[in-house]
Amino acid sequence: MERKKIGIGIIGLGLMGREFASAIARWSHLLTDSDIPVLKGICSTNSDSWKWYTDNFPDIAIKTDDYTKLLEHDEIDAVYCAVPHNLHEQIYIDTIKAKKHLLGEKPFGIDKKANENILQAVKANPDVVVRCSSEFPYFPACQELIKWVKAGEYGRIIEVRAGFHHSSDMDPQKAINWKRMVDINGEYGCMGDLGMHVLHIPYHMGWKPYEVFADLQNVIKTRPDGKGSMVPCDTWDNAVLSCKSTDPKTGQDFSMILETKRMAPGATNNWFIEVYGTEGSARFSTHNPKAFDFLTTNGKEQGWTRMDIGSQSAIPTITGRIFEFGFSDAIQQMIGAFILELSENDFNHPFGNITTEETAWSHELFTAALESHRTGRRIKL
């Protein structure tokens, strides 16, 4: 049977837009019978950004600075949207109402109210597939950790630690951009920008926090504006959330530490998750992307074992198992999970994209974290 082609539109043509386009350009890399995404439309108010796309994607049928025109185009079936947080609400709602499937960037609305409005549109259009982007769990070594967790190898959970560390803001002379402005990025600061990545696995495993105590830091309070002046930098640089959650497998509570940091010395782009239990523990970090570390505890002797995991993806690829897997591969696997959900009535993937319900949970958590920091109290969710 001939594979269907899905017309893709990209709104926001920056770093992640190019990564998305590049991933679907090499779709033959995946050994799957799913539908084939084809880039059919691009939208950005910066027309200079169009050239890379038009030079490399001959099937583009519309290029525009007005996203509503892209949504009206008959050849667009689904949209990937990567725009600043303050634009999420209107563009996401309009995309859903236009009956275009949507893979949107986190945090799915600048604040809780914006997220609630987006989810109202989702509820009113149940035939539209709407998911949130997060690529890191698709590293094969992390998929091994997920299998390990699903099998309950940990016994009883003692603690889970998950985080995303950058050192991108360590330079105090780095010019301010929209991610450091509350009116564009949102009051959540680094939590809104990085937090959904950290929560992807915990939420999929049913580890939803019911209590949070937050420690938020605004380390660099002014930054250059690029025009010779210093301006306020009023977003949170680092956040450490100390949470309580319940494991649905055992019904027992455990501690969960969630970290989102833009000022983590030495960390270029390090995403990690660690699970510690009474019978076993496991950890994964993009700092060592091929390594799946685990240990079994017998009460006396214990020691970490490291498995070197090659390119053994959830969606098989042409790449040999002995070779390395990278960030661009993780993005393609994430998109593959989205396309499979569009293609198949019976969704067959071991670990799907972030759901809209999970984005709502994240907004509840981040809103409570702001209250916790403001009051100095633990907040019940």
Side-chain angles (χ1 to χ4, degrees):
M1 186 173 68
E2 185 177 356
R3 294 161 68 186
K4 177 185 173 183
K5 292 184 178 179
I6 297 178
I8 300 292
I10 298 178
I11 302 175
L13 305 182
L15 176 65
M16 293 310 299
R18 291 192 296 272
E19 288 283 358
F20 189 100
S22 176
I24 64 174
R26 58 189 184 100
W27 206 248
S28 58
H29 188 77
L30 299 181
L31 297 175
T32 175
D33 294 328
S34 71
D35 296 342
I36 302 170
V38 179
L39 184 58
K40 286 291 186 177
I42 56 174
C43 175
S44 174
T45 55
N46 176 16
S47 58
D48 292 340
S49 65
W50 297 355
K51 186 177 186 301
W52 178 85
Y53 291 86
T54 55
D55 284 350
N56 290 287
F57 296 89
D59 292 315
I60 290 176
I62 178 173
K63 53 181 189 282
T64 179
D65 60 2
D66 182 350
Y67 75 88
T68 62
K69 292 181 179 178
L70 183 142
L71 297 179
E72 291 168 357
H73 202 281
D74 291 340
E75 293 189 60
I76 304 299
D77 302 305
V79 167
Y80 170 65
C81 187
V83 296
H85 304 168
N86 64 320
L87 302 179
H88 286 191
E89 181 179 1
Q90 192 63 59
I91 296 178
Y92 288 13
I93 289 173
D94 289 345
T95 300
I96 296 163
K97 286 183 175 179
K99 302 294 185 180
K100 310 297 184 183
H101 303 298
L102 171 65
L103 182 61
E105 279 293 338
K106 69 306 180 230
F108 247 68
I110 194 170
D111 55 24
K112 189 171 182 289
K113 181 60 178 175
N115 180 261
E116 290 170 350
N117 291 338
I118 294 169
L119 266 61
Q120 286 179 6
V122 172
K123 185 177 180 180
N125 295 274
D127 53 332
V128 179
V129 175
V130 183
R131 295 291 180 263
C132 181
S133 168
S134 174
E135 58 274 357
F136 296 101
Y138 297 99
F139 277 80
C142 191
Q143 287 289 305
E144 286 296 318
L145 181 144
I146 290 166
K147 293 175 188 175
W148 182 93
V149 169
K150 287 181 176 180
E153 298 287 349
Y154 48 79
R156 174 179 175 174
I157 298 177
I158 300 170
E159 183 178 83
V160 171
R161 289 180 171 267
F164 199 175
H165 291 179
H166 281 282
S167 57
S168 56
D169 281 0
M170 288 299 295
D171 179 6
Q173 294 305 309
K174 178 181 177 180
I176 199 167
N177 61 27
W178 69 265
K179 289 189 177 181
R180 285 88 192 161
M181 301 175 183
V182 167
D183 57 337
I184 302 177
N185 178 80
E187 193 179 354
Y188 300 147
C190 60
M191 294 185 291
D193 195 43
L194 305 176
M196 199 68 253
H197 289 303
V198 175
L199 290 163
H200 192 173
I201 291 177
Y203 280 164
H204 267 34
M205 296 301 105
W207 302 337
K208 182 183 176 184
Y210 65 80
E211 185 178 277
V212 62
F213 179 82
D215 179 11
L216 311 182
Q217 290 181 303
N218 181 12
V219 182
I220 306 296
K221 293 181 168 49
T222 60
R223 286 192 178 274
D225 65 356
K227 303 175 183 178
S229 299
M230 300 294 289
V231 294
C233 183
D234 49 7
T235 56
W236 299 113
D237 295 311
N238 291 353
V240 178
L241 309 186
S242 176
C243 304
K244 286 289 188 180
S245 185
T246 303
D247 181 13
K249 284 185 179 294
T250 65
Q252 294 169 319
D253 291 354
F254 64 92
S255 298
M256 184 157 59
I257 308 299
L258 306 172
E259 300 184 4
T260 55
K261 296 182 177 180
R262 288 201 163 276
M263 299 192 67
T268 303
N269 192 65
N270 185 37
W271 178 94
F272 65 90
I273 183 164
E274 303 168 356
V275 181
Y276 299 98
T278 56
E279 296 178 16
S281 301
R283 61 193 181 194
F284 169 79
S285 167
T286 56
H287 185 69
N288 294 299
K290 293 199 298 181
F292 168 52
D293 293 340
F294 65 96
L295 68 80
T296 301
T297 304
N298 61 16
K300 295 180 181 179
E301 297 176 353
Q302 56 182 340
W304 287 99
T305 298
R306 170 164 292 183
M307 290 179 61
D308 205 16
I309 308 295
S311 189
Q312 300 162 44
S313 310
I315 301 175
T317 71
I318 63 171
T319 302
R321 291 167 64 91
I322 64 170
F323 296 120
E324 287 76 16
F325 183 98
F327 179 73
S328 295
D329 298 302
I331 290 173
Q332 188 179 52
Q333 289 287 320
M334 174 192 72
I335 300 168
F338 181 66
I339 297 298
L340 278 172
E341 198 157 3
L342 303 187
S343 304
E344 299 177 1
N345 293 325
D346 183 17
F347 179 53
N348 182 25
H349 192 284
F351 196 82
N353 301 133
I354 295 166
T355 66
T356 53
E357 182 182 33
E358 289 168 337
T359 69
W361 294 347
S362 76
H363 280 269
E364 292 172 6
L365 177 62
F366 301 153
T367 301
L370 293 175
E371 182 182 354
S372 172
H373 184 80
R374 184 169 56 250
T375 63
R377 297 187 292 109
R378 298 190 73 89
I379 302 299
K380 298 282 188 181
L381 277 76

